[in-house]
Amino acid sequence: MVKRKLDRGSEEWQFFTDFWQFRQKYYEIENDDEFTVLMEAGEALIEKYACTDFAKFARQLIFSHFEFVEDKWKGKRS
């Protein structure tokens, strides 16, 4: 196994910083409007990192967060 340290300030390090802030801000939603804002914010992050070598990973992580929030929201609404 190869271990790799993400250098502070690198593009991938910055993605994880951005993703962490995104996840904290949009951890839970209460209505359709908030879900729309969540989706727009996630899509902006996907676009920001679209030209990186980890773009697919970033997109999948953001989509996973969408699913997490949606499942949590649906659970509350049931």
Side-chain angles (χ1 to χ4, degrees):
M1 178 186 339
V2 176
K3 183 178 178 181
R4 178 173 174 235
K5 180 177 167 81
L6 299 177
D7 295 326
R8 185 178 189 91
S10 69
E11 201 166 33
E12 200 164 355
W13 182 89
Q14 185 59 52
F15 166 72
F16 281 107
T17 300
D18 289 347
F19 178 75
W20 182 248
Q21 291 171 353
F22 168 73
R23 183 155 166 85
Q24 287 181 314
K25 185 172 184 178
Y26 301 106
Y27 185 77
E28 201 167 317
I29 60 168
E30 296 180 1
N31 58 53
D32 289 337
D33 292 335
E34 288 181 4
F35 197 78
T36 300
V37 172
L38 159 73
M39 298 294 285
E40 290 171 353
E43 289 176 16
L45 267 182
I46 290 168
E47 184 65 31
K48 180 176 181 179
Y49 293 99
C51 294
T52 65
D53 62 343
F54 58 90
K56 183 177 179 181
F57 171 77
R59 184 177 59 251
Q60 290 173 332
L61 190 58
I62 292 164
F63 284 170
S64 292
H65 183 67
F66 289 162
E67 184 178 8
F68 170 82
V69 171
E70 183 179 31
D71 288 349
K72 193 171 182 162
W73 183 39
K74 285 180 179 177
K76 280 187 157 182
R77 297 178 71 190
S78 299

